[in-house]
Structure formats: C-alpha cells, structure tokens
C-alpha cells in the first residue's frame, strides 16, 4: 500500500499510473525516515483501534511503528468496578499492533486522573493498597509479553518537584512509586518500565523526577526509562531545558522518550498538561476556526524542525518520539483546556496531509 498526498490510499497499480491528474508525489514515511534513529509513535483512539476507516489504518501503519492508547488502558476504562476488568479494547489494540508491526506502550498503570469512580468511595489505606496491588498485578499480568512497555506511573510530581497529593500519596506514602515499579516488574518481567510526566524537562520538576528514578534504583527495582510528555507551546519550546534533561536523565542510565508530543498554537494562560486544569472561553480563545495563519504555521514548522534536530543530536539516548494524535483533527487540544476549539498542534492536517512542519522534519533526513 502506498500513501499519496491528496489520495488517501492507492494500490501499487494505481501508483504506476501516477501521472493521472491529481496525483502528486507520495508522502514520505516518518517511521522509515527515522528508522535508524528512534521509534516514531502516535496515540490511538477507539475508532482507529477498531479500524473503522481503512484509509486511516493504512495511513497509521505507513507513518508509525509505536503506539500508545489515548484512553483505553487507563484504570477507569480497564477496571470499571472493584472486581471487574474489561480488556476488550486493550486486546484489540494488541491485535492492531501485531497486524501492523506497531509496538504498544501501555498507558498507564498508576495515575491520579481517569480513575474508576468507585475509588472516590474508598476511605481506607488498606482498600487503596488492595486496589493498587490488584490493579497492577492483573493488568500488567494480562498484558505481559503483549505490550512492549508500560508507563507504570504517570504524573506523580508537582511543578516544584515535590510529590503530588494524589490518593496514592495520601494513603500509601511516597514509596508508592517504587512499589508500583516493583509490582509491574513481577507481573510483567520482560516489559520495559517507564516513569512519565509533563513539564519534567523544567529544572525543579526534573530534579524531583531524578530523585524518583534514584530512589527506585536504590531499592533494587528496575526502571528503564523516563518519558517527557512534551506538551509545548508554539514559539516557546524550552529547547535548553529539553537538552539538559536528555543529558541528566541519560546519565542515570535510563532511556529518554518524548511520549505525548504536540505543540499548542492557541491562547493559553498556563503551561503543561494538568488535565484537571481548565480555562473559560472568551471572544479571543478560538482565533483560527478556518485555517492557521502562515506566520504561525512557519513558527510551528521551525519549532518541530529544531526539536527533531535536538532529538537526532541525542539519538543515542532518545529511543522514541510519540505524537499525541495522528492528525490535528484527532488532537485532545481541540477540547482541552477549552472545549470546541480548532487546534493545529501536529504534523498532519485534518485530511492527513503533511503540513510544513512535516516537510521540515522529513528534510532533516534527506
Ligand atoms: C488525555 C486524552 O488525550 C483525552 O482524550 C482525555 O480526555 C484526557 O487525557 N497526559 C496524559 C494523557 O498522560 O493520558 C492525557 O490524555 C493528556 C495529558
């Protein structure tokens, strides 16, 4: 299957007739261009996992060799009731990965957000510990040998590097992160195990993250990598902090990944990706309902180009770059932190056509 600009998917025979009006050059493949450098991933939603649109499936398979479920492996969805697990969608994702040669990163075992609703009724440390232990053992056990890696713990830190006051910290104390890795390692011994967060390229949060990694290792527990989510803002990507973070995390002997990359182009009064944080809409909050102005498009392209230059410079330490969405239309940033906006944070537009940012990223490999 060859994927074309303008034409979503065409057969090889049609490609041979490529002079027919409307055919232009084929879309290069990101995963192929960066094959020798690092994995190229995307998050996947239900429609994509269920292969509802064959052209979309072919497009995903042509561009990505790694994938993270956008929502379906979060505890609220996998573990809806105290004694009920639902692996239906997760299992479909595993099949999708096998069929299309895409490695799956499980996301995520322990996170304070998108928890099952029954958690709110729990008021004892014993019950939280039982949930925590059973959840990790059951889920990591079910997907042992099936997922390539797990985001074992997501977003355990505050901006100042201290531990976030989550239900896990409150009831289990600050060893819960190490315990989560220990349990994941037991349940899924051959799976890579990561800590994942946003803004953990920022110096204070990075320092907290480094302490966590050291603590896990000091306990004799395995951690294979740190994920920097990479929810950044156009014209404000913190390149220096990112480079410093790659170096400092790699110096601990762990892999570095960019796990949820997107670049916000709309007005926002805070940085980061705290899903609990929201903004109120006003007359200025959705400035580009029809198209992205060229000046912003060019800045976005230059930010992506410089990011990939940096990733390539440190390709011995960076093992994966995952975008949080296949195209602009899929992005969660159309709905967060304000619902109903038109956002443009990724490399492909709403029709899976490459944007100038994509061309820049590909050009680095020519
Ligand atoms: C987001 C999803 O994209 C949304 O669909 C969902 O409503 C909320 O979560 N950090 C993470 C991701 O680790 O799981 C979040 O995904 C984005 C921020």
């Amino acid at each position: 299957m060859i994927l074309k600009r303008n034409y979503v998917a065409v057969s090889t025979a049609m490609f041979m007739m490529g002079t027919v009006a409307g055919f232009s050059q084929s879309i290069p493949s990101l995963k192929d261009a960066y094959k020798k450098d690092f994995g190229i991933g995307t998050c996947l939603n239900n429609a994509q996992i269920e292969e509802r649109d064959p052209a979309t499936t072919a497009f995903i398979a042509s561009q990505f060799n790694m994938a993270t479920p956008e929502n379906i492996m979060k505890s609220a969805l996998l573990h809806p009731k105290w004694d009920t697990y639902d692996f239906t969608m997760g299992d479909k994702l595993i099949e999708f990965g096998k069929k299309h040669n895409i490695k799956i990163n499980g996301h995520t075992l322990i996170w304070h957000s998108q928890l099952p609703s029954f958690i709110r009724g729990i008021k004892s440390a014993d019950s939280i510990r039982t949930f925590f232990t059973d959840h990790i053992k059951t889920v990591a056990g079910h997907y042992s040998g099936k997922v390539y890696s797990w985001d074992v713990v997501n977003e355990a830190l505050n901006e100042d590097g201290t531990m976030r006051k989550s239900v896990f910290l409150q009831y289990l104390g600050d060893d819960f992160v190490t315990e989560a890795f220990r349990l994941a390692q037991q349940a899924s011994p051959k799976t890579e195990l990561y800590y994942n967060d946003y803004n953990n390229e920022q110096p204070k949060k990075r320092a907290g993250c480094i302490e966590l990694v050291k603590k896990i290792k000091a306990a004799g527990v395995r951690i294979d990598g740190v994920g920097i989510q990479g929810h950044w803002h156009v014209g404000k990507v913190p390149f220096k902090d990112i480079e410093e973070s790659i170096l400092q995390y790699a110096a601990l002997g762990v892999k570095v990944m960019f796990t949820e990359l997107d670049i916000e182009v709309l007005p926002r009064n805070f940085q980061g990706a705290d899903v609990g944080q929201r903004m109120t809409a006003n007359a200025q909050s959705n400035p580009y309902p029809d198209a992205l102005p060229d000046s912003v498009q060019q800045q976005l392209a230059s930010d992506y180009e410089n990011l990939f230059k940096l990733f390539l410079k440190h390709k011995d330490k960076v093992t994966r770059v995952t975008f949080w969405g296949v195209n602009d239309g899929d992005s969660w940033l159309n709905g967060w932190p304000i619902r109903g906006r038109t956002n443009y944070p990724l490399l492909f537009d709403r029709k899976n056509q490459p944007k100038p940012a994509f061309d820049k990223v590909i050009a680095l490999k020519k």
Side-chain angles (χ1 to χ4, degrees):
M1 186 80 72
I2 292 169
L3 297 166
K4 311 278 289 178
R5 286 184 200 250
N6 306 324
Y7 276 72
V8 190
V10 291
S11 69
T12 311
M14 286 169 79
F15 178 57
M16 307 296 285
M17 302 160 23
T19 50
V20 173
F23 278 18
S24 42
Q25 81 270 49
S26 60
I27 302 177
S29 157
L30 275 174
K31 72 164 170 104
D32 290 346
Y34 283 85
K35 191 168 53 199
K36 296 208 176 111
D37 307 310
F38 36 75
I40 299 282
T42 181
C43 72
L44 294 177
N45 62 32
N46 281 11
Q48 293 159 343
I49 295 166
E50 293 196 320
E51 304 197 18
R52 287 183 210 158
D53 173 34
T56 300
T57 307
F59 185 73
I60 292 167
S62 75
Q63 292 293 338
F64 303 102
N65 50 22
M66 306 222 163
T68 300
E70 182 168 13
N71 286 301
I72 52 128
M73 286 190 180
K74 292 171 180 172
S75 61
L77 289 103
L78 272 188
H79 192 170
K81 295 199 183 116
W82 178 256
D83 51 6
T84 308
Y85 290 85
D86 181 357
F87 294 117
T88 322
M89 282 305 298
D91 291 355
K92 281 189 188 172
L93 176 64
I94 300 298
E95 287 312 306
F96 184 99
K98 268 196 214 156
K99 195 163 140 194
H100 303 294
N101 238 332
I102 289 175
K103 285 182 185 154
I104 305 300
N105 172 58
H107 176 83
T108 169
L109 291 171
I110 295 298
W111 189 28
H112 65 275
S113 189
Q114 290 180 276
L115 282 167
S117 54
F118 66 81
I119 290 284
R120 266 179 268 129
I122 301 181
K123 296 278 178 266
S124 85
D126 274 359
S127 299
I128 292 290
R129 184 163 297 281
T130 304
F131 165 79
F132 176 88
T133 309
D134 286 357
H135 182 79
I136 299 175
K137 278 189 179 171
T138 309
V139 174
H142 181 86
Y143 289 115
S144 178
K146 295 180 174 159
V147 293
Y148 177 74
S149 53
W150 267 111
D151 292 335
V152 177
V153 176
N154 197 31
E155 304 178 354
L157 292 164
N158 292 317
E159 299 309 291
D160 66 359
T162 59
M163 298 285 289
R164 180 193 287 268
K165 283 203 173 51
S166 69
V167 64
F168 303 111
L169 184 77
Q170 191 188 340
Y171 287 106
L172 307 179
D174 56 12
D175 282 344
F176 85 85
V177 176
T178 303
E179 282 313 305
F181 278 80
R182 194 195 304 277
L183 289 165
Q185 180 181 344
Q186 283 163 2
S188 192
K190 293 194 178 127
T191 303
E192 297 213 352
L193 306 176
Y194 309 142
Y195 176 77
N196 193 51
D197 214 327
Y198 60 86
N199 284 353
N200 54 340
E201 77 285 351
Q202 296 298 315
K204 286 185 184 155
K205 201 161 182 176
R206 181 207 299 148
C209 195
I210 288 172
E211 285 317 304
L212 274 184
V213 174
K214 286 187 175 164
K215 195 171 166 182
I216 295 167
K217 285 183 169 257
V221 174
R222 177 164 63 85
I223 171 168
D224 301 292
V226 169
I228 297 172
Q229 291 184 7
H231 297 291
W232 292 309
H233 296 248
V234 73
K236 294 185 205 157
V237 176
F239 294 105
K240 274 210 158 112
D241 295 324
I242 297 169
E243 180 159 35
E244 193 53 38
S245 300
I246 296 173
L247 297 171
Q248 292 196 20
Y249 289 136
L252 300 171
V254 294
K255 298 175 179 176
V256 184
M257 275 144 287
F258 295 89
T259 53
E260 304 183 15
L261 183 56
D262 50 24
I263 300 183
E264 172 72 273
V265 299
L266 300 182
R268 179 102 74 82
N269 58 18
F270 65 94
Q271 297 204 357
D274 188 341
V275 293
Q277 212 167 344
R278 292 247 158 210
M279 266 171 74
T280 331
N282 60 37
Q284 282 82 47
S285 47
N286 191 27
Y288 319 127
D290 304 316
L292 192 62
D294 193 55
S295 59
V296 190
Q297 188 79 272
Q298 296 313 322
Q299 180 67 53
L300 184 72
S302 144
D303 285 349
Y304 269 116
E305 179 183 28
N306 289 325
L307 266 177
F308 274 77
K309 272 189 191 160
L310 193 56
F311 299 158
L312 280 172
K313 180 175 172 195
H314 297 291
K315 62 183 181 185
D316 57 326
K317 306 173 184 72
V318 175
T319 55
R320 167 166 61 96
V321 177
T322 292
F323 294 88
W324 207 241
V326 174
N327 75 32
D328 286 343
D330 304 318
S331 170
W332 74 304
L333 294 176
N334 295 298
W336 180 90
I338 298 177
R339 261 183 250 285
R341 298 202 291 182
T342 308
N343 221 326
Y344 306 83
L346 298 166
L347 298 189
F348 298 106
D349 73 11
R350 287 169 164 72
K351 293 182 172 151
N352 286 338
Q353 293 297 301
K355 294 159 64 179
F358 173 89
D359 295 335
K360 293 273 191 207
V361 168
I362 286 287
L364 292 175
K365 294 301 299 177
K366 280 188 178 149

